[in-house]
């Protein structure tokens, strides 16, 4: 295994469709680690930094991005799959100019979609005419087909962990499946709900994950993105149905998300399609690297 390292949606103008979109899948091995809060607040931090951000709720059967932000969408991805509307019609404007792609909640069939249906959702993004700099995809927790489909379609996979043994064990299981079955080699690791920043608890969690990956997964590369502190202001923001970045911008967690957003903006932009199933694949192809290879 290589050494570990540290590491407003508006109508498109002419030429914007040639601009590649940075796509970040936010995942976790288990539920309860604050993955959706990370997705919402990362989106808010990037939007405040001037990025055109789209946030997709990809927990298709148990959606809760809209709940965290106090939104009541009339349409969602279940209506798109039923052929009742197009993807553009379900997008709603969220706080801070974030474009939200809502999913359904409590619809069992949405949690059990076939992989081909996930691919259909992914392909639909290439038809959007909005100007988007970053797409944040809040996946379901665990190893569902939807998780692997959406992670494969993103350029970056951000894995959220916290200080629970099951969190590290399940994060490793997720990384193993994405690497061995789908060829994803690089993962960005974020420690959430860290209680002791002075003792670098987040870096300790990262080292645990590195140790197990170095032992069993030769070519996997893990990058440490930093940590988000445990913060009562974040809980208060949830109660107010707002992101902590907007509700309490000077709080410790909001400052940490702002730092995370700055780090992500320093990542190189994607250059061309890899030849697989990807979000906004037409913009990637048009960005200069030729046509993607056929998918077997």
């Amino acid at each position: 295994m290589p050494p570990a390292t540290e590491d407003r949606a508006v109508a498109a103008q002419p030429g914007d469709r040639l601009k590649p979109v940075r796509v970040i899948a936010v995942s976790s091995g288990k539920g309860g680690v604050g993955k959706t809060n990370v997705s919402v607040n990362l989106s808010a931090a990037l939007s405040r930094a001037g990025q055109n951000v789209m946030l997709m709720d990809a927990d298709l059967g148990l959606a809760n991005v809209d709940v965290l932000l106090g939104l009541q969408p009339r349409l969602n991805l279940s209506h798109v799959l039923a052929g009742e509307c197009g993807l553009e019609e379900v997008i709603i404007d969220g706080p801070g100019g974030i474009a939200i792609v809502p999913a359904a909640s409590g619809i069992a069939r949405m949690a059990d979609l076939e992989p081909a249906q996930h691919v259909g959702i992914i392909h639909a993004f290439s038809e959007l005419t909005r100007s988007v700099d970053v797409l944040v995809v809040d996946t379901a927790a665990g190893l569902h087909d939807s998780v692997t489909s959406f992670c494969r379609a993103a350029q970056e996979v951000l894995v959220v962990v916290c200080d629970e043994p099951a969190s590290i064990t399940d994060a490793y299981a997720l990384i193993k499946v994405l690497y061995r079955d789908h060829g994803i080699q690089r993962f960005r690791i974020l420690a959430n709900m860290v209680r002791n920043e002075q003792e670098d608890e987040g870096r300790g969690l990262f080292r645990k994950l590195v140790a197990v990956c170095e032992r069993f997964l030769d070519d996997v590369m893990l990058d440490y993105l930093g940590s988000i502190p445990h913060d009562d202001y974040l809980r208060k923001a949830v109660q107010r149905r707002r992101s902590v970045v907007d509700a309490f911008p000077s709080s410790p967690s909001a400052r940490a998300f702002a730092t995370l957003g700055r780090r992500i903006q320093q990542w190189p932009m994607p250059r061309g399609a890899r030849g697989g199933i990807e979000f906004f694949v037409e913009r990637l192809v048009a960005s200069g690297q030729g046509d993607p290879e056929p998918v077997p």
Side-chain angles (χ1 to χ4, degrees), residues 125-296:
F125 279 80
S126 280
E127 300 173 4
L128 294 179
T129 59
R130 293 180 173 231
S131 176
V132 181
D133 297 316
V134 184
L135 171 64
V136 177
V137 182
D138 180 41
T139 75
L143 297 173
H144 301 289
D145 285 340
S146 68
V147 177
T148 56
S149 293
F150 295 134
C151 286
R152 287 172 58 208
Q155 289 94 33
E156 304 286 352
V157 179
L158 193 162
V159 180
V160 181
V161 298
C162 68
D163 190 16
E164 296 178 11
S167 172
I168 298 299
T169 301
D170 292 354
Y172 168 74
L174 173 66
I175 290 169
K176 180 174 69 172
V177 167
L178 291 174
Y179 167 63
R180 289 187 174 174
D181 296 349
H182 304 289
I184 298 175
Q185 290 182 285
R186 184 171 195 150
F187 300 86
R188 315 282 189 166
I189 309 300
L190 178 70
N192 195 28
M193 299 184 287
V194 170
R195 290 184 177 274
N196 195 331
E197 293 180 90
Q198 285 71 33
E199 294 184 6
D200 224 345
E201 177 185 298
R203 203 176 286 276
L205 295 174
F206 175 68
R207 285 195 292 265
K208 290 179 183 178
L209 193 54
V210 167
V212 67
C213 287
E214 284 183 335
R215 183 175 179 185
F216 298 109
L217 304 176
D218 289 341
D219 297 323
V220 164
M221 181 184 300
L222 304 183
D223 292 340
Y224 181 56
L225 283 185
S227 63
I228 306 297
H230 186 277
D231 185 1
D232 285 339
Y233 282 106
L234 200 150
R235 178 179 54 80
K236 293 177 181 178
V238 170
Q239 291 172 342
R240 296 185 184 189
R241 296 193 172 188
R242 297 177 63 189
S243 70
V244 74
V245 169
D246 289 330
F248 304 105
S250 298
S251 65
S253 56
R255 293 198 304 269
F257 279 115
T259 298
L260 177 63
R262 288 193 294 270
R263 288 175 179 166
I264 287 174
Q265 287 180 279
Q266 293 172 1
W267 294 348
M269 288 298 295
R271 294 293 304 276
R274 298 185 303 263
I277 300 298
E278 293 172 90
F279 288 101
F280 293 102
V281 67
E282 291 181 6
R283 300 190 200 187
L284 288 169
V285 172
S287 68
Q289 295 300 312
D291 295 329
E293 298 174 3
V295 179

